[in-house]
Amino acid sequence: MNLLTSLFSLMIFPAGLALILSGLLYEWADRKLVARFQNRVGPRWFQPFADILKLLAKEEIKPSGLDSALFYGLPILALTGALTSALYAPILGLPPIHSFPGDLIVTLYLLSLLTISMGLAGWNASSRFSVIGATRSLTQLFAYEAPFLLALLGPAIAANSWTIRDVSAYAENHWLILTQPVGFVIALIGLMGKLELPPFDAPEAETEIVAGALTEYSGRGLALFTLGKSVELVVAVSLVAAFYLGGIGNPLLFLLKTLGIVLLMSLLQALLTRLRIDQTVGLWWRLGALLALLQILVLILVKGWLA
């Protein structure tokens, strides 16, 4: 019975199929909000589902001269990493399915597998657009990863735990956005960089390098990368909401919190223009990382003073 329950949790709900479907709905909400902010109609609610079904039904064409193991394996690795990270995150307002000491660090690195896989996919391609896109993806990864990690370490230090379940429980009685507003802003912007959303979409700038690292992908491979991004959106938004916006609470309230974060990201996408890759790197290392470190220093000093 326990085995069947675990399989249902992993394959259907709350992970697996339910996670993928919720990821596509969050993607639709983001696209619709950006369109409305730009005075456009935007996609219908089923558009992301239709796009994925169309890609899955298409033939996957592998350009000649590429390593087959990398070409077919990297999309699977990207989606697997995102789905596995969901096991340790409070998805859909429910407590994490699994938990162990230090799962916060493991989850953050599992979320990075998608970008690393996309970068390797670009390096494995023969197109110059793919290589440029891969270079930009990996450069941006090294730029935002440290500030994003530091932004999520603030709540962990406050809770005296590296376990997502413990940090979420601590945050239920402490709205950390009030005491650590800088960390929340850095986490929000870092999440946009992680998902390569505007203005941090230089790695896949359509007008410059077609689709960046994924230019030569089509069919099932492109569908798996797209699903990985949708799942990562849900997991990362859930982490930020659980850490900074009063913990998990009840599922309906948690849903509203996550949609509020999506609304903020959509507003920023509509307001800001695309940054060059050098501007993105400069923003993170000259401003984001320093502010995150300063907040952690202040947090440690305050905890030491109160102890």
Side-chain angles (χ1 to χ4, degrees):
M1 189 64 185
N2 288 335
L3 178 61
L4 290 178
T5 304
S6 298
L7 284 176
F8 183 82
S9 299
L10 290 173
M11 303 296 293
I12 307 297
F13 182 85
L17 185 60
L19 181 60
I20 290 174
L21 294 178
S22 60
L24 293 175
L25 283 175
Y26 273 74
E27 179 193 338
W28 169 77
D30 177 60
R31 291 170 59 185
K32 187 72 174 181
L33 286 169
V34 172
R36 296 309 301 160
F37 285 135
Q38 295 174 341
N39 203 23
R40 295 186 286 112
V41 175
R44 291 170 288 183
W45 68 269
F46 55 83
Q47 192 61 52
F49 301 91
D51 292 342
I52 290 298
L53 289 177
K54 182 181 71 175
L55 286 174
L56 290 174
K58 277 188 172 181
E59 180 185 4
E60 186 173 14
I61 300 173
K62 184 181 84 66
S64 60
L66 304 189
D67 186 296
S68 297
L70 288 177
F71 185 81
Y72 293 114
L74 287 172
I76 298 173
L77 179 65
L79 180 57
T80 303
L83 288 172
T84 305
S85 68
L87 297 176
Y88 312 107
I91 302 299
L92 304 176
L94 301 173
I97 300 173
H98 295 287
S99 184
F100 62 87
D103 60 5
L104 173 60
I105 303 300
V106 174
T107 301
L108 291 176
Y109 279 101
L110 283 172
L111 288 175
S112 298
L113 267 182
L114 174 67
T115 307
I116 294 173
S117 299
M118 289 172 58
L120 290 176
W123 278 109
N124 186 44
S126 56
S127 165
R128 67 185 64 181
F129 297 128
S130 300
V131 176
I132 294 173
T135 305
R136 291 184 180 184
S137 290
L138 296 177
T139 303
Q140 188 160 296
L141 169 72
F142 290 115
Y144 67 71
E145 194 67 19
F148 184 70
L149 175 63
L150 292 173
L152 293 185
L153 288 189
I157 292 173
N160 285 323
S161 175
W162 299 92
T163 306
I164 293 174
R165 189 193 295 270
D166 295 341
V167 179
S168 302
Y170 174 84
E172 287 186 6
N173 300 318
H174 306 79
W175 279 64
L176 296 178
I177 187 176
L178 301 176
T179 55
Q180 301 182 35
V182 175
F184 175 75
V185 172
I186 293 174
L188 183 68
I189 299 177
L191 175 57
M192 296 177 67
K194 208 171 185 56
L195 297 169
E196 297 182 356
L197 296 175
F200 308 108
D201 58 337
E204 54 181 45
E206 295 180 358
T207 53
E208 300 171 14
I209 50 175
V210 191
L214 303 183
T215 298
E216 295 191 349
Y217 272 87
S218 60
R220 290 185 295 276
L222 186 56
L224 293 181
F225 274 122
T226 305
L227 287 175
K229 272 194 172 184
S230 299
V231 171
E232 188 168 294
L233 171 64
V234 178
V235 175
V237 164
S238 300
L239 280 178
V240 175
F243 281 18
Y244 282 100
L245 300 180
I248 300 175
N250 66 69
L252 180 58
L253 183 58
F254 190 77
L255 174 66
L256 293 177
K257 293 174 186 174
T258 55
L259 289 178
I261 292 176
V262 172
L263 174 65
L264 284 175
M265 291 197 302
S266 303
L267 184 60
L268 291 174
Q269 290 178 63
L271 286 175
L272 303 174
T273 57
R274 180 187 303 144
L275 297 176
R276 298 194 312 267
I277 192 66
D278 61 304
Q279 292 173 326
T280 301
V281 174
L283 172 70
W284 284 116
W285 283 110
R286 293 172 190 165
L287 191 63
L290 291 179
L291 287 176
L293 283 172
L294 182 62
Q295 179 176 268
I296 288 178
L297 178 62
V298 171
L299 185 61
I300 292 173
L301 291 176
V302 170
K303 281 178 71 72
W305 180 66
L306 293 176

